[in-house]
């Protein structure tokens, strides 16, 4: 029915928004998530999906068709990025891609906030902090902006600390490998020296026997 609506009027953006909502939310609402062993690889989407997940991807197709025909309407990018990729498919990179595009068109003030949320979920804390900093210039008293800036800063510090710990582990492992290699080299040299001394002693013994 929704495909028929947009076929008759390709600029009927509300039909795209409503149709994708039905496909991603209402139709599969009572369906169980497909267990991984029962998912089938889709060449089109390059992922293993089940019947429920297929509806989510149908919704992305429907919205992308709307974007092709209405490339300046931020709502299509927003719903694709936030309502489908972020909330249903847990696909942060694609959510960021379309939410960022939504921000490039005339949009409501809450659109960037959802982009910063996806950046945080994708562990792009520095980008999220930069985004909130720009947002707070226009909305300086936005309490969530101030709060989420602090949250992202905390996550960033944790990530830096974790990276430092990991680097320390790698350095210690490298040091252990270096010491082990040095010890192995030393042992090899000692063995070679012992072999030479044994050969020398054998030669001297043979010469002493001949002289005797």
């Amino acid at each position: 029915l929704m495909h028929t609506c947009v076929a008759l009027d390709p600029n009927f953006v509300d039909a795209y928004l409503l149709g994708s909502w039905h496909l991603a939310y209402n139709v599969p609402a009572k369906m169980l998530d497909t267990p991984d062993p029962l998912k089938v690889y889709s060449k089109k989407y390059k992922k293993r999906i089940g019947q429920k997940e297929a509806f989510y991807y149908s919704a992305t197709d429907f919205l992308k068709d709307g974007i092709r025909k209405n490339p300046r309407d931020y709502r299509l990018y927003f719903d694709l990025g936030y309502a489908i990729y972020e909330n249903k498919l847990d696909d942060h990179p694609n959510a960021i891609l379309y939410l960022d595009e939504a921000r490039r068109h005339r949009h409501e003030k809450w659109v960037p906030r959802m982009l910063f949320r996806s950046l945080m979920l994708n562990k792009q804390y520095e980008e999220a902090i930069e985004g909130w900093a720009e947002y707070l210039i226009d909305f300086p008293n936005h309490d969530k902006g101030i709060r989420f800036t602090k949250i992202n800063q905390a996550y960033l510090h944790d990530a830096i600390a974790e990276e430092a710990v990991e680097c320390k582990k790698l350095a210690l492992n490298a040091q252990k490998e270096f010491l082990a290699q040095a010890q192995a080299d030393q042992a090899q040299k000692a063995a070679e020296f012992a072999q030479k001394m044994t050969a020398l002693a054998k030669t001297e013994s043979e010469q002493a026997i001949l002289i005797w």
Side-chain angles (χ1 to χ4, degrees), residues 80-184:
L80 180 55
Y82 180 71
I84 313 298
Y85 277 122
E86 187 61 72
N87 285 349
K88 288 299 182 180
L89 293 172
D90 200 29
D91 184 341
H92 306 314
N94 270 315
I96 292 168
L97 175 67
Y98 286 100
L99 287 171
D100 186 49
E101 187 60 35
R103 189 176 58 163
R104 298 176 187 277
H105 303 276
R106 186 184 295 273
H107 60 269
E108 298 291 341
K109 63 182 181 181
W110 37 263
V111 170
R113 302 204 295 261
M114 299 302 101
L115 169 61
F116 307 150
R117 176 179 178 272
S118 292
L119 285 168
M120 181 181 70
L121 292 173
N122 203 42
K123 299 182 178 181
Q124 294 177 239
Y125 306 122
E126 292 184 67
E127 291 90 334
I129 292 169
E130 291 174 2
W132 279 117
E134 293 178 4
Y135 190 84
L136 287 169
I137 293 174
D138 296 326
F139 306 97
N141 297 319
H142 192 270
D143 58 337
K144 288 186 178 179
I146 297 170
R147 181 160 61 89
F148 275 100
T149 296
K150 293 179 180 178
I151 290 173
N152 276 282
Q153 288 171 341
Y155 281 143
L156 179 59
H157 292 155
D158 286 345
I160 292 172
E162 289 176 3
E163 186 177 357
V165 170
E166 189 62 28
C167 287
K168 183 179 179 180
K169 288 181 180 178
L170 292 173
L172 289 173
N173 289 335
Q175 185 181 29
K176 289 178 181 178
E177 290 177 3
F178 175 79
L179 291 174
Q181 185 62 47
Q183 289 174 349

Side-chain angles (χ1 to χ4, degrees), residues 9-69:
D9 185 357
N11 302 124
F12 190 6
V13 173
D14 285 336
Y16 280 110
L17 300 175
L18 184 59
S20 63
W21 184 267
H22 281 311
L23 285 168
Y25 286 82
N26 293 341
V27 175
K30 295 183 179 181
M31 296 174 65
L32 297 175
D33 292 340
T34 308
D36 284 337
L38 298 180
K39 290 181 180 179
V40 178
Y41 183 76
S42 168
K43 292 182 179 179
K44 181 177 181 180
Y45 304 116
K46 297 180 180 179
K47 289 183 180 294
R48 297 181 71 251
I49 63 176
Q51 185 180 15
K52 184 176 183 178
E53 295 76 25
F55 281 107
Y56 300 156
Y57 283 102
S58 294
T60 67
D61 290 341
F62 196 53
L63 284 171
K64 286 177 181 179
D65 180 60
I67 288 172
R68 284 190 292 270
K69 296 167 182 174

